[in-house]
Every structure is written in structure tokens, then in C-alpha cells.
Amino acid sequence: MGRRAETIILPLELLRQLKPSEFSDAREYHQWQRRQLKVLEATLLLYPSLPVDRQNPAAIRLLEIVRAGEIKPIDTSKNSEVMRNLCNSVMALAWRSSGGASTEVCHWADGYPVNVHLYLALLHSIFDLREETVVLDEVDELIELMKKTWPSLGINRMIHNVCFAWLFFKHYIETGQNEPDLMCAAVTMLTEVASDAKKPDLEPYYVRLLSAVLVVMQRWAERRVLDYHECFDKETTASMEHILSLAVSATRIIGEDLSNSGMVFVNHDGEVGMNPSGNRVDYYIKSSIRSAFTKILENGAALDESMTIKADDEPRNILVQLASDTEELAVFEKEAFSPVLRKWHPLPTAAAMVAIHSCFGIVLKQYLAKVTSLTTELVRVLQSAGKLEKLLVQMLMEDSAYCEDGGKEIVRQMVAYEVDSVVANLLKNWMEERLRIGKEFLNRAKETETWMPRSKKEPYAQSAVDLMKLAKVTVDEFFEIPLGVRDAMVQDLADGLQTIFQEYTELIAACGIKQRYVPTLPPLTRCNQDSKFIKLWKKTACRAGAGLLHGEDGPINTSHQRPSTSRGTQRLYIRLNTLHFLIANLHALDKSLAFFSRGSPSPSPLLASSNRRFSATSSHFDPVLSSAQYAIQYVSEVAAYRLIFLDSRHLFYDGLYLHSVAEARMRPGLRILKHNLTLLASIITERAHPLVLKEVMKASFDAFLMVLLAGGSERAFAREDYEAVLEDFRGLKRVFGTCGEEEVGREAEVVEGIVTLMGLPTERLIEGFSIAACEASGVSVTGVSGDGVAVGTKVPMPPTTGRWNRADPNTVLRVLCHRDDEMANQFLKRTFDLAKRR
């Protein structure tokens, strides 16, 4: 065509030149055409080198044409209006420049990352299709041809080097990692990339590309070198060398060059930034040694992943065998991997020996924390540990013989096993280990406890059983230790256990607050005085809708009611059972501590003073027992409020006396409440039942008061409703008759006083309210008018205290707000200008 390549928009020219007749059928042509349009959309709209305003007319037209082309082929003939619009839109977008000046290069495919993907597709053609790991002999000629695309794709030498390195790396993985030359080529290209990255004023686009490539390379390589014992052996050390070189090179470029560009990287440890390559290789050695040592524990020594010896294992045999296997690991490390690592680390064997020494020391320390006395088996274990330590130190010294200090500095990194001082610390270490396990149990309970019962016979949480079992075993084993200094540490052990149980008690009590279940108080309004016709209509509608209020298919059939207790409330019951289980077992545990400490002779004045401290204290666990009693009260209140205000909301706040007292009485709800209390009694233990039932009673009475005093705009009470309300409350009281007549009467006193207010004439309510409100505000009352209003004094609005009783002016005001008669309506309007209900 006589045009330079960088001025040709290839998809557009293809659409112009290729006709439908050159394809086998219309479907194939449509698919091909749609691909060309998608390329134009990606290069000019989605990933342009210069940002495109979405309101740009050319961009809008191009997007419309692309969307139209998805449905059916567009007409690409010379006289096509669509083709003319497509050409104009594409040319307008492709020939833009950043400053508005004229340009000689067409910007149609140089936006990141689509340009890189196109270029990588071109680069991939250097591989032989028949042998995918072989590079074609004509690679140099191919690369020279590809360079002609650089102006169109926005590629330069630096970007080409990054793409070339990525190509070899990606192809090495895709072909099964069987051709080391591909990885070697990737590492070689990284050398060129490292030189490019040192140049000043790197373009942001280049930094984004390079950082994306290097992070993937570095993470892939580090996954292998962080566990090179698993990924490599003596026969594959050559591959290990290439991959290690890749990891080191990528880390060095990221840490030394790209960090200056303001990029922030996070390594495998979650630390910001990258360590220098030398320290990084040291980290690879330690990480792989730890992994290899852990596998020895899992496979050869039958230990779990956390290096903790299982209770049914024979620790002495395990430790002796583990010491032998660890010697083999040290020898293999020195012979197989140290020669490869020495290229990047000055003392690879020494670093490995320090890591091995540390790993074995952890297991040895755990073993010593579990033994209770010096035995021949313990001596054998300590001898094996001493032999291993001597070998590791010898190999370390040989590796660092040519250092200036002869390896003394790195030897200091080894924390000696110090077997001679083990005996003195046996008891202390044992106790700390047991308390640590208890803390782990506690943390696991915080994460996994669902407060489901173990069984019907054991209605408390599994975590409490596990914690108490651990505490009992600890106390039993503690008093089996034949050491005279043991008894001086009884209170220390009790204090440690108490800390765990105190935190566990706080976990049980962390169940929210009861106020979250209480409905928000609605604003005070006055009852509307409807016409007789509207009252008749509401009454009819109320009767027709009774089924909707109390059941989906009409009035509730109380003979087939089920409990409405939610699973969340039942879990609160399990929390209460767990607290009582905890208290009972703490008392038993305290008796064990007191019995054993009294039954042991005092070997020293220190022990004698310790025993005096026990006798002066009623219990080793007084603080946690006190906290548990408080938690029982707290959880009982929350459970009661949840049962009444959430699970039984449809019985009380959402149903009782709604629209009409006569049509929404308490009796159907009482049967469901009884079912709920029966379910409660079947779950709650006998010791927990009285308090919970009392709190449910109090919550029920509070809910009843909420209906009467804060029931919202859909409730109104006439003076004639007094008898029905009083009868309903008496029925509610009878439900809780097992609480005792005196207890029920005491809790019902406030409710009965407020119900009594509902039976008073409106004049007396207004008079009593006016006097009480003025006296509460310190306003003197000179007299009362015939309708009960204070004379010569403006009655103040009483505050809402939430402590409702018949003497509280706010309580009386709420009774007036719910009184459905004209006098109350006029008084509230005249005195406080309260709004009508809607």
C-alpha cells in the first residue's frame, strides 16, 4: 500500500480488504469480523495509550458499531455509511497526541497491557511447533522482524527485555519444567533487565510491567526454594541452581532498583520491602530446614505439625530416633545443597546447622517440659541430644574455619541445650506448658465454640468440659510429682488456672446486652376521635384481620402450638448451664487443691507460709467464682429479654391489643409462652431454672408494660378495657406461679399499679398527672380546675425515665396518650400540642 507500518491500523485495514466471499460461510465471517471489532474496542477504548473521554463522539460511535457488530455483521463495502463512520471514529481516536500536536505515529495498539499481550503472542512464535521446548534457528531474523512492530505497539528495548524474560519463564512452566535451558535463558534476560532497571527516571508504565513480572517470578521461585528439600534432590541440583538464581535476581531488582521508584512490595512474611539477596538466601535455608525437620517429625517420629509430642507416644524413644534422623539431615544438607547455596551465601552449612540445632532444641525443650523426674530414659535422651549438638557444632566450625573469628560469632547464635540446668526448671516449665495448653484451649473455644450441648444428659458446652478435664488432669499430675518444692507452687498453679477460667467466664458472658431486644419508644401522640362509621369499619377490619395478626389462616389453633424459642435463645440457655457446670467443678477442683496441700508435710518455712495462705483463704478460686455468679445473672437477663422481646414479639409487642383489646387478648399467647417455658425447663439445668424463670417473668411484665405504655399508634385503650387488661395480666401471673406467690407479687406490683390507672376516670388521670408533673419539676400548684388541669400554671412535659410506676408523671402521661376519649385528646392537644395519630 506504500505506507509505513506504524501508520496502518491493522484491524481496520483487514475489515476494509477482506470480503465475506473470502470465507467459507457467513458465520465464519461474522466471527472473524467480531474479533476485529473487539480488537479495536480493546486498543482504542478499553486500554488506550492516551486516556479517552467517554463522552468523546468518536468513542461513542465506535462503541455503538462494536455493539451492533455483535448482533449481525456490519456492511464493510466502500459505500457503506457504517464503514465510513467506523473509519472516521477509529482514525480520530488513533491519531490523537498528548499535546494536541501533529504526530507521525498511529496510537492504535500501544496501550498497556493490551500491547504487551500482543507482543508476547508475537514472541511466542520463536518456538518450534513440533518440539515446544526448542527455539527456532531463525530466532534472530524473527526478532528483527518483530522490532518493526515496536512503534505501533509502544515497545522499546527495555520492555522487550522484560517480555523476553517472561516468555522463557512462562514457557518453562508450561512445558512441564523439563528444559533447564529455558530457565537459564530467563535468568540471562533478567541480567539485561537488571541493567535497565538501574537507569534513572523510569517510566511508570515500565515500572508497572516490570514489577508485575518480577513479583510473579519471585513468588513462584520462592515457593520452591523455601522448601528445597522437598522440591529437589542430588540429581536435580542443577534446576535448583537456576531457580535459586531466578529468585535472587528478582529479589535484588525489586529490593535495590524498583524500591527507588516508590513501589512497595510485601514478601512471604508479610513484611514490607525485600531483604538483600544474602539475607534472603539465609531465610531460604532456615525455612527449608524447618520444613524438612517437620516432615521428619510427622513421618518418622509420629508428631503433629506443631512439633508437640502426643500423649500416647513414647517420648524417650521418639527423641532418640529423632536425634539420629536429624544427624542424617545435617549430613545430607552439607553434601547435596551447601555446594549450590555457596554461590549466594558465604556460610551455607553453618547457617543450616544453626537452623537444625534450633529445631531440635524446640522439640527437646517440649520433651523436657513434660518429664516429671530424672530417669535413665531422660539421661539417654540428653546423651543423644548432646551427641547431635557436638556434631552440628563441628560441621559449623568446619564451614566457618576461614572466617576472621573462626566461626565464633555464628556459634553464639546457637542456644545451647544446657542439659545440666534442666532439673531445676522441670516443675516450672511443666506448669507453664500446661497453662499454655489451657490458653490454647481457651483461644480455640473463642474461635469455634457454638454453644451447642454435648448431649441431652450433658446440656453444656464442649469447651467447658475440655477445659475442666485439662484442669483436673493438670492438678492430678501436679501432685504426682515427687518434688519437695511442689507444694510451694500450689497457689501459683491455682492462679494460672484461675486466669484461664476468668477469661472463659468472660467469653460465656459476652452475649450482647438485653436492651438491644427492647423496641424503641415511639413518639407520644394523642388518640384520634373517629366517627362512628370509621370506628365500625375499623372494628370490622380488625375482626377480619385477626388471622393475619395471630396466624396465617385465621385465629391461632392453640391446641397445636409449638414453642417459638429461637436457636439463639437456646444457645443462651446452654451458656447458663455451662456457667453452673463451671462453678460446680471449680468447687471440686478447689477441694482437691486444699486436700493435697494439707496432706503434704511442709519441707521448708516457705511451704509453711504458703499453707497458712491457703487456710486464710476460703477458696483458691474466689474471684472467678464471684465473676461466674455475676455472669449467671447477666446471661439470665439477656436470655429472658431475647425470649420475650424477640422470640415472643408476635405474642406481645407485635400482637397483643393491636387495633382492639377485645380481638387481641393475651390467652392465645399464654399457651405459646407456656410451651416456651416447658422447652426452657427441658434445656436448663435444675440449678439454673429458678433464676432464669424469674428473669423471664420480669421480662414478660416489662413487655406487658411496653404494650400498655409504648404500644405505638395502633393501640388505644378505653376505660372499659380495664377489666380485660387486668384479667389478662392475672393470667400472665399464673404462668409464673412456680416462682412463688411472694416473688410474683413483688414483681407484679408495679404493673398492677399502672393497670389500675387505666381504670380511673380521665378527669382523675389529668388531675393526678398535672399535680405530679408540677411537683416533679418544682412548680407550685395553686389550684385545679373542674377538668383536673392545674390553674395558673403551665404543666411541664415530664422526662422519660424508663422507670415506670403509677406515681411517675411520664407513666400517667402515657396512659393518657393511649386513652381513647375526647377529654384526654383535648387535654393533650391543649397542654402539649401532641400530634394526632396517623
Side-chain angles (χ1 to χ4, degrees):
M1 297 176 63
R3 293 166 57 184
R4 300 196 317 275
E6 59 268 24
T7 65
I8 298 175
I9 304 174
L10 187 59
L12 182 61
E13 294 301 332
L14 291 174
L15 289 171
R16 282 174 169 174
Q17 303 302 327
L18 294 182
K19 304 304 179 185
S21 59
E22 301 181 51
F23 295 84
S24 59
D25 53 40
R27 181 181 177 184
E28 181 185 3
Y29 172 71
H30 187 202
Q31 290 177 344
W32 172 84
Q33 186 189 84
R34 191 162 49 190
R35 283 199 299 272
Q36 311 311 311
L37 292 174
K38 283 294 184 181
V39 170
L40 289 173
E41 181 187 14
T43 56
L44 294 175
L45 297 180
L46 300 180
Y47 305 104
S49 58
L50 298 174
V52 176
D53 185 358
R54 291 302 178 187
Q55 303 303 318
N56 186 311
I60 295 174
R61 286 198 303 271
L62 175 57
L63 186 60
E64 292 174 350
I65 294 172
V66 171
R67 295 293 176 263
E70 293 177 353
I71 301 173
K72 63 179 182 178
I74 64 172
D75 183 7
T76 58
S77 61
K78 292 184 179 180
N79 298 324
S80 169
E81 182 66 23
V82 176
M83 192 63 190
R84 188 180 303 111
N85 290 335
L86 176 63
C87 293
N88 293 338
S89 301
V90 170
M91 298 299 287
L93 293 171
W95 285 98
R96 294 176 303 124
S97 61
S98 57
S102 60
T103 177
E104 298 181 356
V105 179
C106 180
H107 298 281
W108 77 272
D110 54 353
Y112 178 78
V114 68
N115 61 338
V116 172
H117 284 285
L118 292 173
Y119 191 62
L120 285 172
L122 288 175
L123 288 177
H124 197 270
S125 62
I126 69 172
F127 296 109
D128 194 327
L129 293 177
R130 292 167 296 181
E131 297 183 48
E132 56 184 6
T133 60
V134 176
V135 176
L136 296 173
D137 294 336
E138 300 84 355
V139 60
D140 292 335
E141 292 85 345
L142 287 172
I143 296 299
E144 289 301 320
L145 284 173
M146 293 176 195
K147 288 181 181 179
K148 296 183 179 181
T149 68
W150 287 7
S152 296
L153 296 177
I155 304 294
N156 55 29
R157 170 66 64 182
M158 295 169 63
I159 297 174
H160 166 80
N161 290 339
V162 176
C163 292
F164 219 29
W166 173 258
L167 177 74
F168 286 121
F169 168 75
K170 183 171 179 286
H171 203 63
Y172 172 76
I173 297 174
E174 291 175 345
T175 55
Q177 307 176 33
N178 297 320
E179 184 51 65
D181 289 344
L182 291 174
M183 179 56 68
C184 185
V187 174
T188 302
M189 287 307 304
L190 277 188
T191 305
E192 298 290 332
V193 172
S195 300
D196 296 337
K198 295 182 182 299
K199 296 178 180 179
D201 302 327
L202 298 176
E203 295 183 1
Y205 150 47
Y206 173 75
V207 173
R208 287 173 57 198
L209 171 63
L210 180 56
S211 61
V213 168
L214 291 179
V215 167
V216 174
M217 288 182 172
Q218 195 245 11
R219 289 179 178 174
W220 179 88
E222 284 201 342
R223 278 199 296 269
R224 284 144 185 83
V225 296
L226 285 170
D227 193 8
Y228 56 76
H229 284 84
E230 177 69 17
C231 298
F232 307 101
D233 51 32
K234 286 186 177 180
E235 287 71 30
T236 57
T237 52
S239 296
M240 174 185 169
E241 183 174 356
H242 294 315
I243 294 176
L244 185 59
S245 179
L246 177 73
V248 171
S249 298
T251 300
R252 182 181 293 117
I253 296 173
I254 291 174
E256 296 179 0
D257 300 320
L258 288 188
S259 59
N260 296 328
S261 66
M263 298 294 291
V264 178
F265 300 89
V266 180
N267 59 26
H268 286 267
D269 307 319
E271 299 172 350
V272 177
M274 293 293 178
N275 293 326
S277 57
N279 292 344
R280 201 68 185 161
V281 175
D282 186 79
Y283 174 67
Y284 300 156
I285 295 172
K286 294 177 180 178
S287 174
S288 187
I289 289 293
R290 283 196 296 267
S291 297
F293 188 81
T294 301
K295 288 181 176 62
I296 293 175
L297 294 175
E298 294 171 345
N299 302 327
L303 302 180
D304 65 16
E305 295 179 356
S306 62
M307 301 184 185
T308 303
I309 299 174
K310 295 181 180 178
D312 55 351
D313 290 331
E314 290 291 339
R316 57 183 181 274
N317 296 331
I318 291 175
L319 266 294
V320 172
Q321 182 61 42
L322 181 61
S324 176
D325 294 341
T326 306
E327 288 184 17
E328 295 179 5
L329 173 65
V331 173
F332 184 77
E333 172 73 20
K334 179 181 179 182
E335 294 177 353
F337 298 121
S338 290
V340 177
L341 295 165
R342 198 172 299 278
K343 181 177 179 181
W344 294 277
H345 197 291
L347 301 172
T349 303
M353 298 308 110
V354 171
I356 293 174
H357 184 274
S358 174
C359 288
F360 187 83
I362 293 173
V363 179
L364 178 64
K365 182 179 179 180
Q366 291 176 350
Y367 167 70
L368 294 177
K370 293 178 180 295
V371 298
T372 58
S373 62
L374 280 175
T375 62
T376 54
E377 290 81 6
L378 175 59
V379 172
R380 184 183 171 199
V381 169
L382 295 178
Q383 287 175 342
S384 299
K387 178 185 175 184
L388 173 63
E389 186 174 46
K390 183 177 180 181
L391 174 66
L392 297 178
V393 172
Q394 179 183 350
M395 296 173 70
L396 183 151
M397 297 301 294
E398 290 175 356
D399 190 50
S400 57
Y402 297 101
C403 294
E404 294 181 359
D405 62 350
K408 294 180 181 179
E409 180 63 29
I410 196 168
V411 169
R412 293 192 188 98
Q413 297 180 20
M414 283 186 169
V415 180
Y417 296 151
E418 296 181 352
V419 294
D420 295 334
S421 62
V422 169
V423 177
N425 297 320
L426 274 176
L427 184 56
K428 181 180 179 181
N429 292 342
W430 175 86
M431 191 168 66
E432 290 177 351
E433 177 65 15
R434 300 302 292 181
L435 294 176
R436 183 190 66 80
I437 296 175
K439 187 69 174 178
E440 288 182 356
F441 272 55
L442 177 63
N443 292 335
R444 192 179 305 121
K446 291 180 180 179
E447 296 174 0
T448 62
E449 182 57 70
T450 58
W451 307 110
M452 299 295 289
R454 278 168 55 89
S455 64
K456 289 185 177 180
K457 294 183 178 180
E458 297 177 313
Y460 33 79
Q462 178 66 44
S463 57
V465 178
D466 294 340
L467 271 177
M468 195 53 65
K469 181 179 179 181
L470 175 66
K472 290 180 178 178
V473 171
T474 299
V475 171
D476 292 342
E477 292 181 357
F478 179 80
F479 286 106
E480 291 175 1
I481 299 174
L483 295 176
V485 297
R486 176 202 66 195
D487 298 326
M489 302 180 69
V490 170
Q491 189 60 35
D492 293 332
L493 176 62
D495 291 342
L497 292 174
Q498 180 168 256
T499 300
I500 294 174
F501 285 116
Q502 178 71 38
E503 195 169 344
Y504 184 68
T505 301
E506 295 171 359
L507 171 65
I508 300 175
C511 57
I513 58 175
K514 65 180 183 180
Q515 285 75 15
R516 63 179 293 193
Y517 303 113
V518 179
T520 304
L521 294 180
L524 293 176
T525 56
R526 53 194 171 91
C527 289
N528 297 342
Q529 288 299 299
D530 296 327
S531 67
K532 293 183 178 180
F533 172 78
I534 294 176
K535 286 183 178 180
L536 179 62
W537 179 84
K538 282 187 175 182
K539 185 174 183 180
T540 304
C542 180
R543 289 175 177 173
L548 296 177
L549 292 174
H550 301 289
E552 294 181 359
D553 300 311
I556 290 178
N557 186 353
T558 56
S559 61
H560 299 286
Q561 286 304 303
R562 295 183 177 180
S564 62
T565 307
S566 65
R567 292 190 180 275
T569 305
Q570 294 178 42
R571 292 191 179 99
L572 291 176
Y573 298 164
I574 302 303
R575 288 178 186 251
L576 286 170
N577 291 343
T578 303
L579 285 168
H580 282 278
F581 171 82
L582 190 67
I583 289 175
N585 283 271
L586 282 176
H587 282 303
L589 202 63
D590 179 64
K591 290 180 180 178
S592 297
L593 289 173
F595 173 80
F596 285 116
S597 57
R598 284 195 304 267
S600 302
S602 300
S604 65
L606 174 63
L607 180 59
S609 64
S610 176
N611 282 336
R612 285 195 296 271
R613 180 173 51 159
F614 297 159
S615 61
T617 306
S618 59
S619 170
H620 294 89
F621 303 108
D622 272 344
V624 69
L625 288 171
S626 176
S627 297
Q629 291 293 349
Y630 172 80
I632 288 173
Q633 177 66 39
Y634 181 83
V635 178
S636 297
E637 292 177 3
V638 175
Y641 266 66
R642 181 183 172 95
L643 174 64
I644 298 302
F645 283 97
L646 181 65
D647 301 343
S648 304
R649 185 182 176 101
H650 61 291
L651 308 178
F652 287 94
Y653 197 74
D654 287 351
L656 184 62
Y657 305 147
L658 201 64
H659 300 298
S660 168
V661 172
E663 300 295 336
R665 294 287 296 275
M666 171 67 78
R667 183 175 299 176
L670 290 181
R671 299 197 178 185
I672 300 179
L673 180 59
K674 290 177 181 178
H675 287 309
N676 287 335
L677 295 179
T678 301
L679 178 63
L680 182 150
S682 68
I683 298 176
I684 289 288
T685 60
E686 185 176 351
R687 284 175 296 183
H689 187 260
L691 178 60
V692 180
L693 187 61
K694 175 186 173 182
E695 293 302 327
V696 173
M697 176 182 65
K698 293 167 65 176
S700 301
F701 292 174
D702 288 347
F704 193 82
L705 283 181
M706 284 288 295
V707 170
L708 300 182
L709 302 178
S713 60
E714 295 182 343
R715 287 185 175 89
F717 301 97
R719 184 183 175 189
E720 295 77 15
D721 295 327
Y722 162 73
E723 292 294 339
V725 173
L726 183 60
E727 180 184 350
D728 284 347
F729 183 65
R730 288 171 178 170
L732 182 61
K733 286 168 54 179
R734 285 193 293 272
V735 173
F736 300 100
T738 56
C739 292
E741 182 178 352
E742 183 179 351
E743 184 70 30
V744 174
R746 183 166 55 252
E747 296 297 336
E749 184 177 354
V750 172
V751 184
E752 290 173 337
I754 295 173
V755 172
T756 302
L757 291 176
M758 300 178 65
L760 296 179
T762 304
E763 297 89 340
R764 287 190 58 185
L765 286 176
I766 294 175
E767 178 181 354
F769 166 72
S770 301
I771 295 173
C774 292
E775 290 178 350
S777 301
V779 179
S780 59
V781 180
T782 58
V784 179
S785 65
D787 56 0
V789 182
V791 178
T793 303
K794 179 176 176 58
V795 179
M797 172 67 77
T800 301
T801 63
R803 295 185 294 273
W804 289 330
N805 62 79
R806 65 173 299 165
D808 173 41
N810 183 264
T811 303
V812 182
L813 175 62
R814 290 180 177 274
V815 174
L816 283 170
C817 288
H818 288 78
R819 175 62 64 91
D820 189 10
D821 68 23
E822 181 62 25
M823 181 178 293
N825 180 41
Q826 292 300 322
F827 170 75
L828 295 174
K829 179 180 179 181
R830 182 174 61 254
T831 307
F832 301 115
D833 195 23
L834 293 184
K836 285 186 177 182
R837 297 183 180 182
R838 295 184 178 181

